Amino acid sequence: MISEAIDNEQIEMLLSDVLEAHGYDFLEYSHASIKRRIIRLYALDNFVSFAEFRYTVRTDKQYFKRFLEEITVNVTEMFRDPNFYKALRNDVLPVLGTYPFIRIWVAGCSTGEEAYSLAIVLKELNLFHKSLIYATDINPSVLEKAKQGIFPLNYLKGYSENYVKSGGIQDFSSYYTANYSHAKFDGTLSEKMIFSTHNLVSDHSFNEFQLIMCRNVLIYFDKDLQHKVFQLFDNSLEKLGYLALGSKESLDFWERSKAYKRVKTEKIWRKL
Amino acid sequence: MAETLIKGKCEALIIGGSAGSLDVLLEIFPSLSDNINFPIILVTHRKSGNDALLSDLLRSRTKLKVNEAEEKDKILPGHVYIAPADYHLLIEDDETFSLDYSEKINYSRPSIDVTFQSAAEVFGDKLVCVLLSGSNADGVAGLKTVNDLGGIVVIQNPNTAIMSYMPQQAVNHIKAGIILDASDMAEFINKLVK
């Protein structure tokens, strides 16, 4: 096993290189997970030594693109956790619908599945025309995919089931055109999306939102970094705005959590 | 015997299982000593959405505290932690949990391999890992790492397992594995107590 040959010190040196040479700070990521991703990539790409791997990551811009894409987790789904989307549809978005304009930030959007899911719900609630979805990720290459709205066809059956469970009222297939192995989503869904790179570790607040969705991103951060990101969200959220997290993430241990009220049983909090 | 080798130095016990493993857990838990002084971590393959069910079943059969593992939780002795459905469960150096929603491994999330390997790096020779019934090969690579780093490997006897494939793969690949029937497992675990 290669894993035994690579110790924590080597991982730290590699991540320090990445910060110095490329400006991406992974030092406050959960260690076990990022270590596993790094070792996996190192084994996958057949480097002769860890030193060579380190050198390539440091100096080869093209390879660094791959590194960035592979060590961050980009697994996502449409209508992931249907009950969460049901709560958005029934409890959160109708409230925001009373506003003249709805600004939403999907932070860590990866390849865009959640942003498209959200756009579909907004359409069905007749709120899409006055909404704007800012979809950001640390990783430029996943944003390119997100812009296209093309997802592998073999996942669509599961997405369609999720959609129905979440309270979807249309024929899900009306939102995409199937083409061989892929489904291309209706181009109007991305008309209200703005895609941009944003690094939650180092970038600042860039707007005020009524809803921030950041699901299954914080699990990869250590506690201190999680709390910094909560502060960033707090600075980016209007009063009475909503913060939505992943099913295993929580605001509970953050010092300012008392300024937020949980919405029913889903991982959604409202800023008081 | 390996029990005497490791007696008193077990810092974590991890049990991995797939199809056919629930019966074994339900057999083991009522016989576990209340004095267990290490954490027990369960990684089982199951459908998402049934998280509360397994906790409830086990809670009714033991005095040990049974909870789903939450990210950043400190891993405490005498507690039973269940890997949440649809996340990989990893162990940090400071003996806290991390969750990870990356690709499935061996068609599985949680993957037993991921938790075994991650725990082996933290607990080394103070780790005991048990692999139960199942019908894919998840867990076997993890047991190899555990064994390589000095931990104890226990495998359910494939001949008496409901699904023999997973434990049989482990028996084939890890010669040092201790093979036990389900009915002997509780006693083995109780003997690990300091």
Side-chain angles (χ1 to χ4, degrees), chain A residues 8 35 216 220-221 248, chain B residues 68 72 87 93 100-101 121:
Chain A
N8 295 342
K35 183 179 179 187
N216 292 305
Y220 303 112
F221 297 170
K248 302 298 173 194
Chain B
E68 185 174 282
K72 309 285 186 284
Y87 287 84
D93 288 338
D100 178 323
Y101 188 66
E121 289 179 26

